């Protein structure tokens, strides 16, 4: 029996990151399954969102002189906007700073604490601030964080712990007994390997004195919740209280889709958290691979981050959606190149699918004035085509269970190729020459168009925009969502008498000369300078009032690890400014120094103290260097 509710999630993205194709990849993959299931008539809930608490957010907000809440209210929009451009059909967007989320996190903490699943203990260990994770001595890689290789600090403090360790055997059994639980199988084995070592309890708190930007523990206001414990709960907080979740029919989720880097947190932390709460783990956690660019990891410093908005502008949204899922088997790593993308666009989309549509619609116009004829005959070629269609539909349905996107697309292209061959073999241009041939021609043209209709439905989850346009060209006005997969269960759904409509090519070919030009543009450093939405005009820049100022006083802000409170003389007045520089500068070294101040920044309160400006500094891996001058310019001088 067909399951009638389906729940799929993406990870919630760190709000600080600029969205790139890695983020787009997970989201598009989840979107395709969500769209497919809806076409099957299933009630789908598809969730994505942003992860908005933690050290990095607090730090970044500090750096720009705004409150963390203001910061995340602004930044999360970049993800929302990109998902609209990429035609992502999510049913909701969860932000971890929303009250509906925070409430469930607090309720779960309270419940687990009252059941002694969470306890207080003293802890000594090595802490990596950027990763916000504790490590034991033996975890360290040559004394550094094993994950990011940066320096770690020895910390001794009281914290709260979730009794994760006691679920170790349960988890091992669960993974071993359910082959569908963690996929692909190779990743499942990695998790089992990880579980061979004793599983320790999980530290789920951070002292507020070190990190204020988090959900306060309901049973101890001196602590906030560890960001992963908070974030993972997003998958259920969307459905309300624990009782609401059970009643919603959307838990356990069908797929928690994640990248390979965050499989452990999901397979181990998340599953055991759910077990303790009394909920089932998700039916499946699928870990996909990572995209590199020309063999290298994407990173801002290498300037090789592939920006999806730019790709959409250049190639169109459906080409990107198609390429990312066709190029690499889901689960494996892949290398992104614009050249490969252009190659796929030209061959699969323009030459094969696009050409099939063009010639069918053109011949329909030429031989039948655009009116779809009633099929008249039934020969062996027709039978072979309809059988192929049936086989492809059946296999695609099975392949969706494995999230084997590239195989699904390969399979669908078998129907594209078979239909092109059908036209070549039957030769409509010859049939049109004789009266007997004209009868046969009706069937051939009908079947070619019908096959395209089937392709339109099958490809709709991957290319929602282009397939709607394909349907219109065939004379079908009803949206594909209304037609559904059931409309292709039987051959012959296209109504004779429909009026085809010639339109512009769905996927124009990129000729060699143009391709060379695009490749040079995209791969040259100029790419950075192109207006990709980040650029500002000189007038906009001039709105920022930069002035020199002399530091008169400096003192550390109590309870803050980073902030120093400064009194700065900016010529016309003295300003109180907070700067997150205390890890790199001592207050006494700052007095008398000339710095650059953003003088017209809206005042903001940090830790209850008003900051009336911002000091410019370079920040390199946590090392802060104040911007300055090689000669003394004097106070209140404009900087341009
Ligand atoms: N906030 C956490 C997830 C919390 S879920 C409860 C996080 N965020 S992230 O923004 O860093 O990453 C989100 C997803 O993007 C992860 O699944 C990650 O694997 C994916 N990708 C980030 N870079 C990627 C590539 N270069 N390639 C493919 N996916 C990548 O982790």
């Amino acid at each position: 029996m067909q399951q009638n509710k389906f729940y799929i999630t993406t990870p919630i993205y760190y709000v600080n990151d600029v969205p790139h194709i890695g983020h787009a990849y997970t989201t598009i993959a989840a979107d395709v399954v969500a769209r497919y299931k809806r076409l099957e008539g299933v009630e789908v809930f598809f969730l994505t969102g942003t992860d908005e608490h933690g050290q990095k957010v607090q730090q970044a907000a500090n750096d720009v002189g705004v409150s963390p809440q203001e910061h995340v209210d602004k930044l999360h929009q970049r993800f929302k906007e990109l998902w609209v451009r990429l035609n992502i059909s999510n049913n909701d967007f969860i932000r971890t700073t929303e009250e509906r989320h925070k409430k469930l996190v607090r309720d779960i903490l309270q419940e687990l604490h009252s059941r002694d699943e969470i306890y207080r203990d003293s802890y000594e260990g090595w802490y990596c601030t950027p990763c916000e994770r504790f490590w034991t001595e033996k975890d360290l890689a040559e004394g550094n964080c094993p994950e990011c290789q940066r320096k770690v600090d020895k910390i001794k403090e009281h914290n709260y712990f979730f009794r994760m360790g006691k679920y170790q055997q349960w988890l091992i059994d669960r993974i071993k007994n359910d082959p569908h639980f963690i996929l692909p199988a190779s990743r499942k084995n990695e998790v089992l390997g990880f579980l061979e070592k004793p599983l320790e309890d999980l530290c789920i708190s951070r002292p507020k004195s070190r990190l204020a930007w988090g959900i306060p523990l309901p049973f101890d206001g001196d602590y906030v919740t560890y960001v992963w414990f908070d974030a993972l709960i997003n998958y259920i907080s969307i459905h309300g209280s624990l009782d609401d979740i059970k009643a919603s029919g959307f838990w356990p989720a069908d797929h928690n889709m994640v990248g390979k880097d965050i499989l452990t947190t999901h397979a181990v932390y998340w599953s055991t958290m759910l077990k303790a709460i009394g909920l089932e783990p998700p039916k499946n956690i699928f870990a996909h691979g990572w995209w590199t660019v020309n063999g290298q990891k994407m990173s801002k410093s290498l300037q090789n981050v592939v920006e999806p908005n730019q790709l959409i502008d250049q190639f169109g949204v459906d080409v990107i959606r198609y390429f990312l899922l066709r190029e690499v088997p889901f689960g494996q790593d892949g290398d992104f190149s614009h050249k490969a993308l252009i190659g796929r666009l030209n061959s699969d989309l323009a030459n094969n699918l696009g050409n099939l549509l063009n010639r069918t619609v053109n011949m329909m116009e030429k031989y039948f004035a655009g009116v779809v004829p009633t099929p008249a005959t039934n020969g062996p070629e027709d039978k072979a085509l309809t059988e192929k269609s049936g086989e492809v539909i059946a296999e695609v349905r099975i392949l969706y269970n494995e999230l084997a996107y590239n195989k699904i697309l390969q399979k669908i292209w078998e129907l594209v190729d078979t239909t092109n061959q059908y036209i070549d073999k039957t030769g409509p241009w010859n049939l049109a020459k004789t009266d007997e041939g004209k009868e046969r021609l009706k069937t051939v043209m009908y079947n070619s168009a019908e096959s395209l209709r089937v392709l339109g439905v099958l490809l709709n989850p991957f290319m929602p925009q282009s397939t709607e346009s394909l349907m219109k060209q065939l004379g079908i006005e009803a949206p594909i969502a209304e037609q559904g997969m059931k409309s292709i269960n039987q051959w012959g759904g296209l109504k004779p008498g429909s009026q085809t409509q010639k339109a512009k090519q769905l996927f124009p070919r990129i000729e060699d000369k143009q391709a060379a030009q695009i490749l040079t543009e995209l791969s040259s450093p100029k790419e950075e300078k192109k207006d990709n939405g980040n650029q500002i005009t000189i007038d906009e820049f001039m709105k920022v009032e930069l002035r020199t100022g002399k530091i008169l006083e400096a003192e550390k802000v109590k309870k803050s690890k980073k902030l120093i409170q400064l009194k700065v003389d900016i010529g016309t007045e003295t300003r109180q400014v907070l700067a997150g520089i205390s890890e790199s500068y001592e207050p006494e070294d700052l007095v008398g120094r000339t710095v650059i101040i953003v003088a017209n920044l809206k005042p903001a309160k940090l830790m209850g103290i008003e900051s009336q400006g911002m000091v410019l500094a370079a920040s390199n891996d946590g090392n802060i260097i104040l911007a300055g001058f090689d000669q003394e310019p004097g106070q209140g001088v404009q900087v341009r």
Side-chain angles (χ1 to χ4, degrees):
M1 204 189 78
Q2 171 86 262
Q3 179 199 343
N4 65 356
K5 283 197 176 185
F6 181 85
Y7 182 30
I8 186 162
T9 66
T10 73
I12 47 172
Y13 302 100
Y14 285 130
V15 72
N16 263 356
D17 290 349
V18 180
H20 58 58
I21 51 159
H23 307 122
Y25 184 48
T26 330
T27 317
I28 294 170
D31 185 57
V32 168
V33 191
R35 285 175 178 274
Y36 162 70
K37 287 284 175 185
R38 289 190 195 110
L39 287 183
E40 288 283 19
V42 174
E43 189 185 344
V44 169
F45 200 95
F46 166 26
L47 180 68
T48 186
T50 37
D51 193 351
E52 304 192 350
H53 287 123
Q55 189 84 39
K56 285 181 210 156
V57 171
Q58 182 173 297
Q59 176 67 51
N62 230 343
D63 290 348
V64 290
V66 297
S67 72
Q69 189 64 55
E70 280 177 90
H71 186 64
V72 296
D73 285 349
K74 181 166 171 229
L75 288 196
H76 85 278
Q77 295 289 355
R78 298 188 298 197
F79 284 93
K80 271 195 181 154
E81 282 160 12
L82 179 61
W83 302 154
V84 170
R85 286 205 78 192
L86 280 170
N87 275 325
I88 302 299
S89 65
N90 52 306
N91 296 85
D92 207 331
F93 187 100
I94 182 81
R95 301 176 56 200
T96 54
T97 52
E98 288 175 82
E99 184 50 32
R100 58 177 176 167
H101 172 75
K102 293 193 282 191
K103 176 165 183 347
L104 187 69
V105 173
R106 284 194 301 265
D107 289 351
I108 287 176
L109 285 164
Q110 188 68 59
E111 155 109 11
L112 294 184
H113 185 247
S114 65
R115 286 205 266 115
D116 192 41
E117 292 276 351
I118 288 177
Y119 62 96
R120 188 169 193 263
D121 203 356
S122 79
Y123 184 83
E124 189 171 36
W126 295 94
Y127 190 67
C128 173
T129 309
C131 295
E132 294 172 49
R133 277 182 79 166
F134 282 106
W135 302 104
T136 59
E137 184 87 39
K138 65 176 182 344
D139 289 329
L140 300 182
E142 295 176 6
N144 290 327
C145 170
E147 215 160 78
C148 71
Q149 275 74 47
R150 278 181 274 212
K151 89 173 185 19
V152 284
D153 301 311
K154 187 148 202 179
I155 283 184
K156 184 172 174 161
E157 62 193 17
H158 275 93
N159 260 317
Y160 286 87
F161 293 83
F162 161 52
R163 294 191 194 279
M164 183 164 75
K166 75 176 196 193
Y167 295 111
Q168 176 161 17
Q169 195 52 50
W170 165 81
L171 183 58
I172 293 172
D173 294 342
R174 182 76 175 68
I175 296 173
K176 285 190 176 161
N177 293 337
D178 180 356
H180 188 71
F181 179 30
I182 294 173
L183 287 173
S186 56
R187 298 272 169 226
K188 170 178 93 174
N189 293 336
E190 277 174 27
V191 177
L192 286 172
F194 174 86
L195 288 169
E196 275 167 16
K197 283 189 292 180
L199 183 63
E200 301 195 355
D201 289 346
L202 180 67
C203 177
I204 55 100
S205 63
R206 298 290 181 261
K208 246 192 190 156
S209 53
R210 190 146 52 78
L211 169 68
W213 186 236
I215 303 176
L217 295 187
F219 43 83
D220 190 339
D222 288 339
Y223 292 85
V224 298
T225 315
Y226 169 45
V227 71
W228 269 103
F229 194 92
D230 159 358
L232 288 161
I233 291 175
N234 90 85
Y235 300 131
I236 51 177
S237 63
I238 201 80
H239 299 303
S241 68
L242 286 175
D243 286 339
D244 295 338
I245 296 158
K246 286 177 195 154
S248 72
F250 283 116
W251 195 264
D254 293 84
H255 298 286
N256 275 165
M257 210 174 251
V258 299
K260 63 178 184 179
D261 54 318
I262 55 172
L263 176 60
T264 315
T265 45
H266 282 78
V268 182
Y269 300 2
W270 181 221
S271 304
T272 54
M273 279 165 67
L274 286 163
K275 175 74 182 156
I277 302 166
L279 288 174
E280 279 291 306
K283 289 182 208 158
N284 167 253
I285 301 174
F286 196 106
H288 65 70
W290 265 48
W291 282 96
T292 49
V293 176
N294 300 322
Q296 284 179 309
K297 198 177 162 184
M298 260 185 282
S299 87
K300 266 194 221 156
S301 53
L302 290 174
Q303 295 198 355
N304 66 349
V305 174
V306 182
E307 211 281 305
N309 283 299
Q310 206 179 15
L311 286 184
I312 299 170
D313 292 343
Q314 182 70 58
F315 301 104
V317 55
D318 283 347
V319 177
I320 315 304
R321 290 175 61 110
Y322 173 78
F323 175 76
L324 290 177
L325 294 177
R326 172 64 185 85
E327 190 68 0
V328 177
F330 201 58
Q332 288 179 24
D333 292 339
D335 193 46
F336 182 90
S337 85
H338 294 97
K339 203 168 163 193
L341 193 153
I342 294 173
R344 287 248 171 245
L345 163 59
N346 281 347
S347 65
D348 304 2
L349 297 177
N351 284 3
N352 301 341
L353 177 63
N355 192 31
L356 173 62
L357 178 65
N358 281 348
R359 60 178 180 158
T360 304
V361 175
N362 282 341
M363 287 191 287
M364 215 47 120
E365 290 232 323
K366 184 166 172 194
Y367 302 131
F368 298 106
V371 179
V372 175
T374 307
T377 53
N378 199 357
E381 293 107 341
D382 310 314
K383 195 161 173 267
L385 180 66
T386 53
E387 277 177 6
K388 186 74 196 171
S389 165
E391 173 211 311
V392 168
I393 296 168
E395 291 218 23
V396 163
R397 282 191 157 118
I398 295 168
L399 289 166
Y400 265 110
N401 294 331
E402 299 163 33
L403 303 181
Y405 300 101
N406 73 321
K407 287 194 196 154
I408 293 174
L409 288 168
Q410 270 168 352
K411 203 72 218 167
I412 297 176
W413 251 256
E414 284 182 21
L415 184 58
V416 173
D417 293 342
T418 305
T419 315
N420 268 323
Q421 286 154 12
Y422 170 80
I423 294 177
D424 294 343
K425 263 195 236 149
T426 51
W429 41 90
N430 291 328
L431 295 173
K433 288 178 192 157
T434 65
D435 282 346
E436 199 192 332
K438 278 182 187 153
E439 271 310 288
R440 175 86 188 111
L441 183 63
K442 289 182 185 165
T443 308
V444 168
M445 288 319 302
Y446 179 87
N447 281 344
S448 308
E450 171 66 358
S451 188
L452 275 161
R453 186 185 72 86
V454 171
L455 288 166
V457 176
L458 288 177
L459 284 172
N460 178 254
F462 292 87
M463 300 193 279
Q465 210 166 295
S466 317
T467 46
E468 290 295 352
S469 150
L470 175 151
M471 288 295 185
K472 287 216 171 67
Q473 295 198 36
L474 295 177
I476 303 168
E477 290 297 333
I480 297 173
E482 271 174 30
Q483 302 171 46
M485 285 292 286
K486 65 176 186 313
S487 73
I488 56 171
N489 281 345
Q490 252 152 28
W491 189 263
L494 178 61
K495 284 199 190 69
S498 309
Q499 178 70 50
T500 59
Q501 292 172 36
K502 237 172 123 174
K504 70 176 180 21
Q505 291 201 356
L506 280 191
F507 306 104
R509 238 188 99 77
I510 297 190
E511 299 304 338
D512 290 353
K513 213 169 134 201
Q514 195 192 351
Q517 199 181 340
I518 294 172
L519 291 176
T520 336
E521 265 177 37
L522 290 176
S523 59
S524 73
K526 266 189 288 158
E527 183 180 6
E528 285 294 304
K529 291 190 201 113
K530 273 182 63 177
D531 183 2
N532 52 17
N534 281 330
Q535 292 186 337
I536 55 168
T537 61
I538 184 78
D539 291 340
E540 283 166 323
F541 173 73
M542 286 301 184
K543 285 189 195 154
V544 184
E545 195 186 330
L546 296 174
R547 282 213 248 159
T548 59
K550 189 171 221 150
I551 299 178
L552 304 177
E553 290 171 28
E555 64 174 311
K556 283 199 177 177
V557 173
K558 278 195 206 101
K559 289 208 186 147
S560 166
K561 227 175 120 187
K562 301 230 157 81
L563 288 181
I564 293 192
Q565 183 176 340
L566 306 169
K567 290 266 156 57
V568 186
D569 176 1
I570 58 165
T572 49
E573 65 200 283
T574 301
R575 291 278 182 91
Q576 170 171 288
V577 177
L578 293 178
I581 55 176
S582 146
E583 286 178 322
S584 305
Y585 291 91
E586 290 302 326
E588 53 271 27
D589 299 334
L590 292 168
V591 176
R593 232 185 125 116
T594 299
V595 287
I596 304 172
I597 296 278
V598 181
N600 60 343
L601 197 65
K602 220 164 142 191
K605 275 200 173 160
L606 302 176
M607 305 199 71
I609 306 170
E610 187 173 86
S611 182
Q612 304 157 334
M614 187 172 93
V615 178
L616 295 194
S619 166
N620 186 3
D621 271 352
N623 186 22
I624 314 275
I625 303 145
L626 284 169
F629 301 93
D630 54 8
Q631 282 174 35
E632 195 49 59
Q635 285 102 272
V637 178
Q638 272 206 339
V639 179
R640 286 278 174 258

